[in-house]
Amino acid sequence: MTNLRIHTHTHAPTHTHIHQGFDDIPEGVSRPGHFRGVATVVTKLFNIVQPTNAYFGQKDAAQCTLIRRIVDDLNMDVNVQVLDTIRETDGLAMSSRNAYLTPKERMISPVVYKSLCAAKNFYHMIFLGSVSSSMEEEDDDGKETEGKEFSIPSNTLRDIVEEVLRSEPLVTDIQYVSVDDRETMRPIDVVGKDGAVISLACKVGSVRLIDNIVLKIG
């Protein structure tokens, strides 16, 4: 029989700490210590396995941004790939938590993604309207002007998401709806041609669901 020796820490364990940007974002506030745990576990995993590629899902948008920062800051030779969120046929983001939804809650749960799509559709509508208007305008030489800059207040997009969520009585709690920079996941006041990420956490019945959608042109 092989004797196994388990080494235990005689000191406080080391954590990977990320300065500025994650403990104070909405998901970090909702789950204190979560991102420090993710940073520590992923750093240890990459150091042990030393993968060439690492794949993560867009569903955890802030987590993906965090991991990319770790790889960049620590000069890790890992190619981080962020894949599209895998969804059920009705749009609900796949998650182990979905199993806790009652049949009635599961039936209405696509409202989460529907709320995000409503904001995305509005963003595209405003952008296309801006492009159309700028193409119709001509300068003094009779030449078409270049496309004008456009922007949408983040509060407008947030209100659209919340309005759709509130239309469903089984959405019992909207914990947050956040409009953030696509690269840093820091909150932004207006959304322009560079786009944004809209993320949310809410409860359907007693089940906490998260989801997000990327706003971008093209």
Side-chain angles (χ1 to χ4, degrees):
M1 179 179 293
T2 302
N3 291 321
L4 298 179
R5 178 176 296 177
I6 299 175
H7 296 277
T8 58
H9 289 292
T10 57
H11 59 275
T14 300
H15 297 281
T16 301
H17 180 69
I18 305 297
H19 291 282
Q20 183 190 7
F22 292 92
D23 286 342
D24 61 342
I25 65 174
E27 186 65 13
V29 173
S30 298
R31 303 173 71 185
H34 170 69
F35 288 110
R36 186 180 74 166
V38 170
T40 301
V41 169
V42 171
T43 299
K44 294 176 71 172
L45 175 66
F46 286 176
N47 283 335
I48 294 168
V49 179
Q50 297 187 355
T52 302
N53 298 289
Y55 300 89
F56 298 89
Q58 175 63 34
K59 178 172 173 286
D60 297 294
Q63 182 171 291
C64 292
T65 300
L66 168 66
I67 293 168
R68 280 175 163 162
R69 183 182 296 183
I70 291 169
V71 168
D72 183 55
D73 289 352
L74 300 182
N75 299 315
M76 293 181 171
D77 189 18
V78 182
N79 182 27
V80 176
Q81 300 277 355
V82 178
L83 307 181
D84 291 341
T85 300
I86 300 176
R87 300 184 180 278
E88 304 287 356
T89 55
D90 58 6
L92 177 65
M94 288 189 178
S95 170
S96 58
R97 296 182 183 185
N98 297 347
Y100 297 104
L101 295 166
T102 67
K104 188 173 182 180
E105 291 166 352
R106 174 63 186 86
M107 185 178 300
I108 65 89
S109 58
V111 72
V112 175
Y113 186 50
K114 179 181 176 183
S115 70
L116 294 168
C117 288
K120 182 177 183 178
N121 291 339
F122 181 80
Y123 173 76
H124 284 167
M125 180 185 69
I126 296 298
F127 172 75
L128 292 175
S130 174
V131 171
S132 177
S133 297
S134 65
M135 290 179 65
E136 292 175 357
E137 295 180 2
E138 296 182 350
D139 62 18
D140 294 338
D141 296 326
K143 297 178 181 179
E144 289 183 352
T145 57
E146 295 183 359
K148 289 183 176 180
E149 291 290 328
F150 82 103
S151 63
I152 304 171
S154 295
N155 284 340
T156 299
L157 297 170
R158 192 177 297 111
D159 289 345
I160 291 172
V161 173
E162 291 182 354
E163 182 178 5
V164 175
L165 291 175
R166 290 196 178 98
S167 70
E168 174 49 62
L170 288 179
V171 175
T172 56
D173 181 27
I174 302 174
Q175 295 186 345
Y176 68 80
V177 176
S178 186
V179 182
D180 305 309
D181 182 274
R182 290 169 57 191
E183 299 299 324
T184 66
M185 290 303 292
R186 302 299 300 170
I188 53 179
D189 295 327
V190 295
V191 181
K193 61 181 179 61
D194 292 332
V197 176
I198 305 179
S199 55
L200 67 83
C202 68
K203 285 188 175 181
V204 175
S206 61
V207 182
R208 185 178 189 267
L209 300 178
I210 64 171
D211 204 349
N212 67 80
I213 200 165
V214 178
L215 305 183
K216 61 182 179 179
I217 304 302

